[in-house]
Amino acid sequence: MRRLTRYAAVLALLALPACGAGPARGAGQSAPVLMFVGDSFTVGSGPVPRWETYAAHTGRLMGWQPIIARAGGTGFCNAGRAGRTFERSYELELSWRPAPDLLVISGGHNDRRWSPDEVRGAAAALLTKVRAHWPGTETVMVGPIWMEDPPRKAYGVRDALAQAAAAQKVPFLDPLHMTWPPEAVLPDGIHPTRAGHERLAAWLAGELKARRQDQGLYQGP
């Protein structure tokens, strides 16, 4: 039977109030801002519109405002049909905005034809740029997402991204250890259904909340 790692614990965590990067916000103050850089998993595919992707759901579950830079087929190295990498997506859609409370860089699925060294170098360059521009912003990297059995090259991409994140002391979350029920996967065998996006968001929001609790940033009781 397929399972989702720590899924029960995630559901319990999601019952907790949302948390902020700084002092607790009072009534009338805006919600914390959660920015994403991502690929087709954050765009939405087939019957799943962009406002029902895991990135949008993660913002809802945390009670945060999501702002998402996304383009299908893109990656740290792969420019896809959009003709831009994650670094360019960050520059065009996010870098000119005020610094967010949290930035999630999520992807790598489209980088498997590139060498691990190239992926690691591109990820390191993006992290360096982000941290120089927004030195006070917490950043988290999420590795490639595979809804069915990942190919061997996916693990090479995952390891390269984990190394780039570790070198800059950026937390790294690995979705490749997760398994998914059939109803979570679209017929293309690649992208999540609405239910799949919801499950992915539950996992990610739970991981983010757990990390912030461990760091003493959680503002709840």
Side-chain angles (χ1 to χ4, degrees):
M1 181 177 178
R2 306 183 89 181
R3 63 184 177 80
L4 283 174
T5 305
R6 297 174 61 187
Y7 191 62
V10 166
L11 292 178
L13 281 167
L14 294 181
L16 297 172
C19 49
R25 289 167 166 80
Q29 291 183 296
S30 60
V33 174
L34 169 62
M35 288 188 183
F36 274 84
V37 176
D39 50 26
S40 60
F41 289 86
T42 60
V43 171
S45 299
V48 182
R50 64 186 184 277
W51 57 87
E52 291 189 1
T53 64
Y54 80 94
H57 276 305
T58 298
R60 293 187 190 102
L61 290 171
M62 296 182 69
W64 288 29
Q65 176 188 353
I67 299 175
I68 306 167
R70 50 196 165 193
T74 60
F76 292 92
C77 294
N78 199 61
R81 291 183 179 180
R84 69 192 200 200
T85 61
F86 282 177
E87 183 173 350
R88 191 60 177 149
S89 287
Y90 162 74
E91 292 171 346
L92 290 173
E93 298 192 54
L94 301 181
S95 64
W96 51 272
R97 301 174 187 269
D101 295 87
L102 174 64
L103 172 67
V104 175
I105 303 171
S106 177
H109 186 106
N110 299 308
D111 291 311
R112 58 194 180 279
R113 70 184 182 89
W114 301 80
S115 72
D117 285 344
E118 289 173 310
V119 174
R120 182 168 50 250
L126 175 54
L127 289 174
T128 296
K129 179 169 290 189
V130 167
R131 301 189 83 183
H133 186 56
W134 290 332
T137 293
E138 181 183 4
T139 302
V140 172
M141 184 174 287
V142 179
I145 300 168
W146 241 270
M147 303 304 293
E148 294 189 339
D149 293 338
R152 184 175 62 181
K153 288 185 176 181
Y155 292 97
V157 172
R158 186 269 313 273
D159 293 346
L161 295 177
Q163 292 163 9
Q168 299 200 36
K169 297 181 171 57
V170 170
F172 181 80
L173 302 178
D174 177 21
L176 289 188
H177 75 278
M178 301 174 68
T179 54
W180 304 91
E183 63 270 19
V185 189
L186 286 173
D188 66 6
I190 298 173
H191 297 98
T193 60
R194 283 182 172 86
H197 278 284
E198 290 173 359
R199 286 174 177 262
L200 184 56
W203 167 75
L204 180 55
E207 291 285 346
L208 295 175
K209 283 192 174 185
R211 290 196 62 83
R212 297 177 70 78
Q213 278 190 306
D214 291 343
Q215 296 165 1
L217 295 174
Y218 175 62
Q219 299 291 333

